[in-house]
Amino acid sequence: MKKYDLVIVGGGPAGLAAAVSAKDNGIESILIIERDIRLGGILNQCIHNGFGLHTFKEELTGPEYAGRFEEEVYKRGIEYKLGTMVMDISDKKIVTAMNSEEGVFEIEAKAVILAMGCRERSRGALNIPGYRPAGIYSAGTAQRLVNMEGYMPGKKVVILGSGDIGLIMARRMTLEGAKVQVVAELMPYSGGLKRNIVQCLNDFDIPLKLSHTVVDIEGKERVEAVTIAEVGADRKPIPGTEIRYECDTLLLSCGLLPENELSRNAGVELSPVTSGPVVNDRLETNIDGIFACGNVLHVHDLVDYVSMEASLAGKNAASYIKNGICNDTSCEVKTVPINAVSGVRYTVPQFVRPDLMDDTLTVRFRVGEVFKNCSISTYYNDTLISKRKRPVMAPGEMEQVILKKEDLCNFTDLDSITIKIEEA
């Protein structure tokens, strides 16, 4: 059995940043395992710009952003396997993988970083009525067809869901000559970034209909028409509000799900809200020495935040390999939960160990609805510690709170940290 200090599952932006960080923190024996035929992950098909504003202070396309991190991996001589599928990860950190050259093989690791990314929610998970004709694609599949393989999915398009990929594909299809007739969104707010709504819909006069969903798909061989209808507060269609659009293509952009089948089989505890692992301040799961970062942990809005989080995971995995900081109960380290209430859907991490954390800790979260002129409040036990005003907060954009080790350690009898949305 081959042995490595660190095995990273996934060669996308999270896996690459984690590998670079671990190498820079003194770990020599690193292996990245990627199922695709090249490194870079989903960024390879994201040819639009807007990446890297935080990390590189300039605007890059997805392939350019991935290329920067690939170069760092090559420079450091970090080992990687492409076209290789991980089949299983045990709680003992035995990684079982396979590829066409080596067949099935096992790797023993001192630490594992989960960086598998996420997948799109499929039509089967959406319960849309109608036949199953050709012409129904997830937005990400359409993006790959147009940007990487040179195929046009269709000419007259309806898009269901206003996630960032759907918004970007509305613009992309328009630029390639298609007519995007409408973007329908089930929720009363968009799931994408404000800048994407402006640049991808408003700038091209593409209508966005909030609180609408698809109620019928016509056509047996190929999509011929799609009917949408307004939904009420119970998210059920309101009779009499139907609008029919003749089209040949329906794109689905209805949310992303962290890719956690391997995590679940390894015994990693998953959050019912994020569908990603529950982690501590070091991004370590409940399995000693298994870390998680990027979209497999929770779906991010900006790849820059993925890279920052992954760099932290790489640094902490390196510390674990060298020092063996453990996560089990025998360590007797005080653990403080971070509670998400009153409009905050979740936090990452979900708990913190003040004695072991870095000097500062960035806690990222999303809100559950649109808030205006409100504040993000942080409480230690029942004591208000900070209150930061925000003019607008929306589910499509990630928020954050920074905790300081000094403050946590100096607070007497700290039992819980609570983050909530309150009136300004």
Side-chain angles (χ1 to χ4, degrees):
M1 188 185 298
K2 293 182 180 177
K3 295 185 179 182
Y4 287 87
D5 286 341
L6 177 62
V7 170
I8 299 171
V9 184
L16 296 175
V20 169
S21 176
K23 184 79 170 186
D24 290 348
N25 280 278
I27 304 303
E28 294 298 325
S29 174
I30 302 172
L31 175 66
I32 303 170
I33 302 178
E34 169 56 48
R35 66 184 177 186
D36 205 350
I37 57 173
R38 62 166 296 179
L39 297 172
I42 197 69
L43 290 182
N44 291 323
Q45 68 186 51
C46 299
I47 64 171
H48 53 281
N49 61 4
F51 300 92
L53 291 170
H54 295 269
T55 306
F56 299 110
K57 310 303 180 191
E58 59 181 304
E59 216 171 13
L60 304 172
T61 66
E64 286 173 333
Y65 186 96
R68 296 275 179 101
F69 277 96
E70 286 174 53
E71 286 174 18
E72 298 301 318
V73 167
Y74 302 149
K75 261 193 249 178
R76 289 162 177 76
I78 297 171
E79 196 176 334
Y80 57 89
K81 289 182 182 293
L82 301 177
T84 302
M85 177 74 79
V86 174
M87 309 303 293
D88 184 62
I89 303 169
S90 78
D91 57 1
K92 305 297 184 189
K93 300 182 280 294
I94 304 295
V95 178
T96 305
M98 64 179 293
N99 59 34
S100 58
E101 294 178 5
E102 300 166 272
V104 179
F105 57 93
E106 289 186 333
I107 299 166
E108 183 180 338
K110 292 180 181 176
V112 174
I113 295 179
L114 307 173
M116 293 89 74
C118 58
R119 66 175 185 269
E120 294 177 279
R121 191 174 270 113
S122 65
R123 178 185 173 173
L126 300 174
N127 296 322
I128 301 172
Y131 291 103
R132 300 214 178 295
I136 303 174
Y137 303 88
S138 71
T141 300
Q143 187 180 52
R144 184 179 180 91
L145 287 171
V146 175
N147 293 347
M148 296 186 74
E149 299 180 21
Y151 295 108
M152 271 294 280
K155 288 292 186 183
K156 294 178 75 175
V157 184
V158 169
I159 298 176
L160 175 61
S162 60
D164 287 313
I165 305 174
L167 298 175
I168 287 162
M169 281 310 294
R171 176 178 64 184
R172 189 77 184 98
M173 296 291 283
T174 302
L175 292 172
E176 288 297 331
K179 170 64 176 173
V180 178
Q181 309 207 60
V182 68
V183 176
E185 169 57 56
L186 177 68
M187 304 302 288
Y189 50 80
S190 171
L193 293 168
K194 180 69 176 175
R195 73 181 190 199
N196 284 335
I197 297 169
V198 173
Q199 295 172 3
C200 301
L201 299 188
N202 298 353
D203 289 357
F204 293 90
D205 295 324
I206 298 170
L208 170 63
K209 290 190 177 291
L210 300 175
S211 298
H212 280 72
T213 191
V214 171
V215 294
D216 190 32
I217 300 171
E218 298 175 37
K220 290 190 177 180
E221 299 300 321
R222 174 88 194 191
V223 173
E224 295 173 3
V226 167
T227 300
I228 69 171
E230 189 176 350
V231 299
D234 58 0
R235 298 184 196 167
K236 292 182 179 178
I238 301 171
T241 62
E242 295 86 359
I243 308 172
R244 182 177 179 273
Y245 295 91
E246 289 189 4
C247 62
D248 57 20
T249 304
L250 173 64
L251 299 187
L252 305 175
S253 178
C254 302
L256 301 168
L257 299 170
E259 193 81 78
N260 271 301
E261 283 67 28
L262 290 171
S263 314
R264 188 179 291 109
N265 292 341
V268 170
E269 180 186 354
L270 301 181
S271 162
V273 181
T274 64
S275 298
V278 174
V279 294
N280 61 25
D281 50 277
R282 291 182 171 268
L283 302 179
E284 189 178 15
T285 69
N286 61 305
I287 306 294
D288 204 35
I290 296 184
F291 299 78
C293 60
N295 282 353
V296 80
L297 180 56
H298 60 133
V299 177
H300 292 63
D301 49 357
L302 299 178
V303 74
D304 303 76
Y305 294 156
V306 168
S307 300
M308 292 176 201
E309 190 176 88
S311 295
L312 182 62
K315 174 187 167 188
N316 292 334
S319 175
Y320 171 86
I321 291 164
K322 291 187 287 186
N323 306 319
I325 295 175
C326 70
N327 193 21
D328 61 40
T329 52
S330 64
C331 289
E332 295 183 358
V333 174
K334 184 173 183 178
T335 297
V336 179
I338 303 175
N339 302 319
V341 298
S342 302
V344 178
R345 288 189 64 234
Y346 69 86
T347 67
V348 171
Q350 285 85 353
F351 59 92
V352 59
R353 299 166 300 172
D355 294 336
L356 296 179
M357 68 180 276
D358 289 334
D359 291 339
T360 61
L361 172 67
T362 301
V363 179
R364 294 194 168 93
F365 63 91
R366 289 183 189 265
V367 294
E369 58 185 276
V370 176
F371 291 95
K372 293 184 178 179
N373 298 319
C374 287
S375 294
I376 301 169
S377 299
T378 305
Y379 288 80
Y380 293 174
N381 295 346
D382 296 322
T383 304
L384 178 63
I385 299 300
S386 68
K387 194 166 185 174
R388 180 162 54 92
K389 289 183 180 179
R390 296 283 282 114
V392 179
M393 288 179 282
E397 306 203 18
M398 201 173 286
E399 302 288 342
Q400 67 182 38
V401 165
I402 296 177
L403 303 179
K404 296 180 179 178
K405 177 174 183 170
E406 183 180 7
D407 294 344
L408 294 177
C409 291
N410 290 340
F411 193 91
T412 308
D413 298 327
L414 180 63
D415 294 319
S416 68
I417 300 166
T418 302
I419 300 174
K420 62 171 71 172
I421 307 303
E422 296 182 324
E423 291 184 6

